[in-house]
């Protein structure tokens, strides 16, 4: 009877220890994947800030160079009667508008690529966690089953020993 109680206690203790061990592993896996997700979010945010910053500088440079070209055209028109200042300004404005559209299109394309990569990375992190959690659950079930078989074998051995002792007595 004492052996049965001991084996029962040991089984309950080991079941709790196994659940705590695999539960802790799942928590650690979740924390690791949470840090990976946080890193991905931070990098995505900084990449978008950088893209918008560079785009802003390019837009300012485009306007500044347009203003410089217009000033140069005004200066040239002051010394050249054949030059048509208004036509030159329209050409400069059209060039600036085309450049501004190209800059904006490039910015949007970069942000779209960044967003697509961001979603893929977060999805992959989520899938990694799900597969890790599933593997840990599978290992926990195997550990529980192995422990249960061992527990039953120990109980059976104890019962057999008691039966043998009774027969001998």
């Amino acid at each position: 009877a004492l052996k049965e109680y001991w084996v029962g206690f040991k089984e309950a203790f080991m079941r709790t220890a196994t659940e705590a061990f695999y539960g802790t592993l799942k928590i650690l896996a979740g924390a690791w994947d949470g840090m990976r997700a946080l890193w991905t979010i931070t990098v995505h945010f900084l990449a978008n800030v950088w893209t918008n910053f560079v785009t802003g500088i390019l837009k300012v440079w485009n306007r500044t160079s347009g203003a410089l070209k217009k000033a140069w055209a005004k200066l040239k028109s002051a010394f050249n009667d054949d030059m048509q200042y208004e036509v030159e300004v329209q050409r400069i404005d059209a060039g600036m508008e085309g450049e501004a559209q190209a800059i904006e299109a490039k910015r949007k394309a970069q942000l779209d690529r960044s967003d697509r990569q961001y979603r893929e990375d977060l999805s992959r992190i989520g899938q990694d966690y799900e597969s890790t959690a599933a593997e840990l659950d599978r290992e926990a079930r195997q550990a529980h089953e192995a422990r249960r078989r061992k527990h039953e074998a120990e109980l059976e051995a104890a019962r057999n020993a008691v039966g043998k002792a009774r027969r001998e007595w």
Side-chain angles (χ1 to χ4, degrees):
L2 287 176
K3 182 75 170 180
E4 284 188 38
Y5 288 132
W6 172 249
V7 170
F9 169 76
K10 192 166 67 168
E11 162 64 17
F13 179 79
M14 292 304 294
R15 179 179 48 245
T16 302
T18 300
E19 288 172 2
F21 175 74
Y22 284 102
T24 301
L25 286 180
K26 281 177 76 172
I27 289 170
L28 291 174
W32 173 251
D33 287 330
M35 289 189 323
R36 287 176 55 205
L38 182 60
W39 178 255
T40 299
I41 291 166
T42 301
V43 168
H44 172 72
F45 170 76
L46 292 175
N48 287 349
V49 166
W50 182 254
T51 298
N52 288 324
F53 172 74
V54 169
T55 299
I57 289 175
L58 290 173
K59 286 180 178 180
V60 168
W61 177 254
N62 183 41
R63 285 192 296 271
T64 302
S65 68
L68 291 173
K69 288 176 186 176
K70 288 178 187 179
W72 180 249
K74 181 124 179 124
L75 183 64
K76 286 191 328 186
S77 69
F79 294 106
N80 185 353
D81 292 335
D82 294 337
M83 184 179 170
Q84 298 175 342
Y85 174 71
E86 294 302 323
V87 172
E88 185 65 19
V89 166
Q90 288 175 352
R91 186 187 65 74
I92 292 170
D93 285 341
M96 285 174 43
E97 181 61 29
E99 184 65 23
Q101 288 174 356
I103 291 169
E104 185 60 22
K106 187 175 179 182
R107 181 188 77 84
K108 285 181 180 177
Q110 178 63 34
L111 291 177
D112 288 345
R113 277 192 305 277
S114 177
D115 286 343
R116 198 169 32 259
Q117 185 66 45
Y118 171 73
R119 287 190 303 274
E120 288 172 6
D121 289 347
L122 287 181
S123 175
R124 186 173 42 256
I125 290 169
Q127 290 169 355
D128 288 351
Y129 174 74
E130 292 301 322
S131 67
T132 300
E135 180 64 21
L136 288 172
D137 288 341
R138 185 187 64 73
E139 288 179 15
R141 282 190 305 274
Q142 287 177 341
H144 282 306
E145 183 60 29
R147 191 191 62 260
R148 187 188 59 74
R149 283 193 304 271
K150 183 179 176 187
H151 169 74
E152 288 174 1
E154 287 178 3
L155 280 178
E156 187 62 31
R159 287 182 189 127
N160 289 341
V162 168
K164 181 181 176 189
R166 282 186 182 152
R167 283 189 302 275
E168 288 175 1
W169 186 71

